[in-house]
Amino acid sequence: MAARDQHGIGAPWGDAAAGDPANRAFQVVGKPHRKIDGLAKATGRAQYADDLVLPGMLHAKTLRSPHAHAMIVAIDASKAKALPGVHAVITGADLPIKYGVIPWTQDEHALALDKVRFIGDEVAAVAAIDEDTANAALKLIRVEYEPLHAFLDPRESLARPEPKIHEESKTGNVSKHVDLAFGDVDAALASAEVVVEGDYVFHGTTHAAIEPHCAVAQFSAEGRLTVWSSTQITHYVHRALAKVLELPIQKIRVVQPALGGAFGGKSDPFSLEFCVAKLAMFTGRPVKMLYTREEVFYCHRGRHPMKLRYRTAASKDGKIDAVDAKILIDGGSYSSFGLVTTYYSGQLLTGPYHFPTYRFDSTRVFTNKPPCGPKRGHGSVQPRFAFEVQLDELAEKLALDPIELRRRNFQGDFTRTVNGQRITSNGFLACLDEVERASGWRARRAKLGRGRGLGVAGSMYISGTNYPVYPNKMPQAGIQLAVERSGRVTVFTGSNDIGQGSNSMVAYVVAEELGMDVADIRVVAADTDLVPVDLGAYSSRVTFMVGNATIDAARKLRTQIAGAVAKEWQIDAARVRMGNGKVFDLDSTERCITTAEAFQIAEARCDTLGATGSYNTPTLGGDYRGGTIGASPAYSFTAHVVEASVDVETGRITCHKVWIAHDCGRALNPMLVAGQMEGSAYMGIAEALLEDHGVNRFGLHAGPSLLDYRIPTSVDTPELRR
Amino acid sequence: MLRLPKFEVRTPESLDAALALLAEFGPDARVIAGGTDLVPNMKHELVTPRIVVSLARIPELRGVGDAGAGWLRLGAMTSLADVAADARVRAQAPALAQAAGLVAGPQLRTMGTLGGNVLLDTRCQWYNQTYFWREALGFCLKKDGTLCHVVEGGSKCVAAASNDTAPALMTLRAELVFVGPQGRRVTPIDDLWLADGAANKKCASDELLVEVRLPPTGPGHRGAYGKLRERASIDFPLLGVATRIELDARGTITDADVVLTALQARPVRVKRAAELLLGVRAEGDAFLAAARAVADQAHRQAHPMPNIPGDAEWRRAMVPVYVRRTLEAAARGAGPVHAV
Ligand SMILES: Cc1cc2nc3c(=O)[nH]c(=O)nc-3n(C[C@H](O)[C@H](O)[C@H](O)COP(=O)(O)OP(=O)(O)OC[C@H]3O[C@@H](n4cnc5c(N)ncnc54)[C@H](O)[C@@H]3O)c2cc1C
Ligand code: SF4
């Protein structure tokens, strides 16, 4: 196993550039195949966590804090325990071990131990014969609180160190502070021909995935625990369960059933996973917990509100000399991925434009609000919004076309950013050209009339990073392939299909490599008893990393099978080709057998067939603390143009049309890529115009429902062109 | 999912049987029509009836028909979708058709009824929340508590009338037909309202709304509805404006009416609308000036409070804009004014 950075030689799609006739050789890749679970989902047959019903299963509910910040003085659950139908009540004392997705900032308890930190924080859990009994029991639990000052404004958290929301934080209510400078920013600012500066605010938003969080646990007579959970990171849930429950990790099995959307909102280990497990252990019966929509809003982990200040220095012809950022991040009540968010808020801005010098100073503080975390485009969306607006301000000041300004600052391909990130291929200019052309930018922009206009923005994002959350030297993604002599291949993958299509993606890759029909490939995924580890569906890493691991495994298998067939035919292995469900001799194509026959030849000549593959990142990133966070083996690039109008009387903005261009590398399935492009544009517009995840003056969530949290309906969605 | 509290459903097949159930169970019973307001309110434990009396099996409550002398009768159980699509309603009462067509979203209009909309509970951001949420707040005056959070230290509930059809029906001078233990009563919709958000309707719990009657309108009738909301579907109004203009054969205004909703506990009639528009031709600058005068008057009268979500100042600023635009739409025979 080696850290591999490219596909290596011999890839069927290998080294051909776009437009190269060699691309025509693809049989699966690049074609709009349906998702392997598409029909099951469309016909209502897919099994989600809440569809699981086990014999004797109990239902669990969570008691939540009505205080934004308070000490727990006493909990009396005796009345709840005495209610007929109640099987167990647990509190913080039953799960006293801390966890948290980032090993260095573990500050969460499954149930509050001695204090609560936001309205909705988990305090106790009840397992009962049904949901109504569990709910009735919650009302019988008496909790005595001693309220503390509640922090609702991040500026106050910064200014006021006491009372501390987390006793263990080193400086007051600061969750994380990162201050990094690359080059002499001050000198560049002092000598610049123009400087623009401004303050920007990004309010909070949440994921609003269709499926609420749900977990089911079963504890066997042999002392083995199984947890089915709507998680997007089985592996971290697995580790966290072992830690908190003090069970040997090999006795725990975590399974992710079909999942109804996540967008980052199911990346953390959540209270319900520990609670159902503990309750199953206590009662000896399977236990299910399904969050209400309101509870989903409380567990949140959505996009951080940020207050951002940017200064950009440039020459008169629009070339950037320096960018200087100061960012205050409202983290809510727990750390979650906050350490990464704080780095990402600065580290991911250094493309697609060239920054000769750059500095960012980002501070994440705790507040007594639902905890923030990763959401689609984690940590980069807020700075990107602010900086792209600042670029427009610069363009205006210099009387330059905003697209032209962006073009002039293009960083180029195969380069290194000022903060040490390695950029390989870079299609940003092509994206800009395309949206400029498609939107009729040049001809139309000045002629749309008052109140209507075209706007542009560019961006870049990672394809995973070489920071594996917990330090280890093992692969980030592993794959196993099992071959059956009938001509069927099963892929075992730890990756989490959260609707993005990763299970389909591995099937396409195997089908391409072994020249098979996608229908003859089965995928077993996200079940820790059955599959090798993958780090999970986050940081846009899955297609890149799991895809490369799959190529690795499939290619080993291909070599083995082709070798066996070559021996059988007594020809050179290079002459054996696999394609269209057939294996044939390149030099005399009439010598041709089915893939199944080839499998049988190989099985007879070699052994039971199978292969493993893996992916790990090469060494990347700058040589400084945090230099690997945000360092990705590959970046994707994008440009959007939006046509919008504002009603000058009402102030309402209507987004009429969006033109989207992405450089995501090779589109393994263009239909799924298009879905991602549409979904992200729609989500971005909604975050800009409609959605607002806030609390009121009491620290209560302003509207924890899909009526009051306004995700766009179909009639609010503009036309999307890609 | 939020659980519904336990209750029993009764499905009487006649009005008399329904009334008997209401009399028998008194405050323990509650009528359910489409349930699109009642069911969420039950899930939030705002109302927890032991008996739910469904009107679904009483056929005479459903449908649009002729009530004689040019009057239209709309059964209380007629769905909002049917009201919005009915050709007679569209011709005789365009503002009502438009308002019904903008309630909530398509699924809810299929279930939701006209009667349920007229009798919709008032709404407030401190009230239309789950039990947990309200408990964390310390409840409020309207339900389980003693304080109002809209007006700090307030001692009166100012939850907002939020039913879209109410202002339209008021401009149309609709009448409501109730039946109760005392028999039938017919009341102009104007007389339904009380200025109390906790209970904004004069309607006893043992009464049933059976139909809404619309007086005839002539060829010079114009009406439109304007609705301010954040999304172009689903959302309740942040402001609702119903307008009516009557024109003579030469296109001169002979009568007019403008009613606003979603501001306070009851719909509000804009004063002097008819006076300001009377004798003006419904086009051109003169009309625009008159419409502006009505808009200014509406602005003076409107004092939205932070009862429902949305910035109250912005809602107030939108009052004259929506009044003017909705009057213009009515004059053009167009509307609704929406999603702008
Ligand atoms: C997401 C959402 C969005 C919504 N948006 C809007 C909106 O934009 N505008 C709007 O106006 N409404 C809206 N509503 C509320 C509701 O859907 C409508 O007002 C609908 O018309 C209510 O009718 P219903 O038949 O469902 O009433 P129900 O819920 O069945 O009843 C409502 C009330 O009236 C009583 N009642 C009903 N019929 C009778 C009768 N014949 N006699 C006596 N009492 C009766 C019930 O006891 C209950 O108190 C929305 C609701 C939801 C859930
Ligand atoms: S207006 Fe006041 S009393 Fe009425 S529902 Fe709202 S908060 Fe409660």
Side-chain angles (χ1 to χ4, degrees), chain A residues 110 149 252 263 277 294 312 324 348 452 520 570 635 647 691 703:
Chain A
H149 173 79
I252 303 177
F263 308 107
E294 181 185 18
T312 300
D324 186 19
L348 300 189
R452 191 168 179 123
D520 291 335
Q570 296 180 333
Y635 294 87
D647 183 320
E691 298 178 23

Side-chain angles (χ1 to χ4, degrees), chain B residues 64-88:
Chain B
V64 178
D66 189 353
W71 285 66
L72 268 187
R73 63 164 291 275
L74 292 81
M77 287 294 287
T78 311
S79 76
L80 292 164
D82 286 348
V83 172
D86 189 274
R88 284 159 297 184

